[in-house]
Amino acid sequence: MKLVLASQNGKKLQEMAQILSQLGVEVCLQRDVGVNVEVEETGTTFEENARLKAQAVMEASGLPAIADDSGLCVDALGGAPGVYSARYGGPGLDDAGRCRLLLENLKGQPRAAKFVSVITCCLPDGTVLTARGECPGTIAFAPMGEGGFGYDPVFFLPKLKKTFAQLSPEEKNAISHRGQALRAFQLELKHHLGR
Ligand code: IMP
């Protein structure tokens, strides 16, 4: 089975392909099947946005499509940046700028946070499969590590005394929100395929 990932993000593709290959499922980026849709993430929940993306790419490609919507939810900020994680601080910021803004906005505040990932798969026969994963942690006081992407350098795991950016891809997959959602999704898909 081949799944089209509704994303342009090669790192997400790597993380997903690594876990889903165990099921004999191949994953490719939407551009690999000539699909150019850029879906506006107008939902207010991770579930809504994942569904919007997967549905649009399934309709455009005619193939099973998978999408993930994910983000960082910080308790002291009332769950922000949440579904707006990629757009936090406006379009002028890059990943490093968003991390700096987050540290600035959290000065003197409690540091509890979690990453959330929701994965939705839309099949051409109308079937919709969904799974959610969460990874609790804290926000570090300064960026640490070179790996990963997004908020990885400031997402600290107290048990490991490391940020996500200080973990290998395998270590991150084993505990991350996306890893957990993918493993839950893998079970859903396995059940659906009757394997
Ligand atoms: P999405 O592509 O709409 O799901 O955007 C999610 C945003 O949340 C990304 O652009 C990152 O800023 C952040 N994010 C989600 N997952 C991760 C992760 O594993 N590490 C670091 N940042 C993440």
Side-chain angles (χ1 to χ4, degrees), residues 12 41 53 68-71 85-86 115 149-152 172 177-178:
K12 271 190 187 174
E41 297 184 20
K53 291 186 272 189
D68 118 300
D69 197 53
S70 52
S85 292
F115 264 123
F149 67 98
Y151 298 91
D152 280 352
K172 182 180 168 187
H177 50 312
R178 191 168 301 102

Side-chain angles (χ1 to χ4, degrees), residues 6-7 9 12 15 41 46 49 53 68-72 81-88 95 98 115-118 148-153 155 164 172 176-178:
S7 170
N9 185 332
K12 271 190 187 174
E15 290 185 2
E41 297 184 20
F46 296 111
N49 282 337
K53 291 186 272 189
D68 118 300
D69 197 53
S70 52
L72 178 64
V83 290
Y84 306 106
S85 292
R87 294 168 266 172
Y88 188 49
D95 279 346
R98 280 185 282 275
F115 264 123
V116 177
S117 167
V118 172
F149 67 98
Y151 298 91
D152 280 352
F155 189 72
F164 261 177
K172 182 180 168 187
S176 77
H177 50 312
R178 191 168 301 102

Side-chain angles (χ1 to χ4, degrees), residues 86-114:
R87 294 168 266 172
Y88 188 49
L93 295 182
D94 59 5
D95 279 346
R98 280 185 282 275
C99 286
R100 273 197 300 275
L101 176 66
L102 180 65
L103 296 182
E104 192 62 35
N105 289 342
L106 266 191
K107 273 195 178 146
Q109 306 261 22
R111 320 296 292 184
K114 65 180 176 186

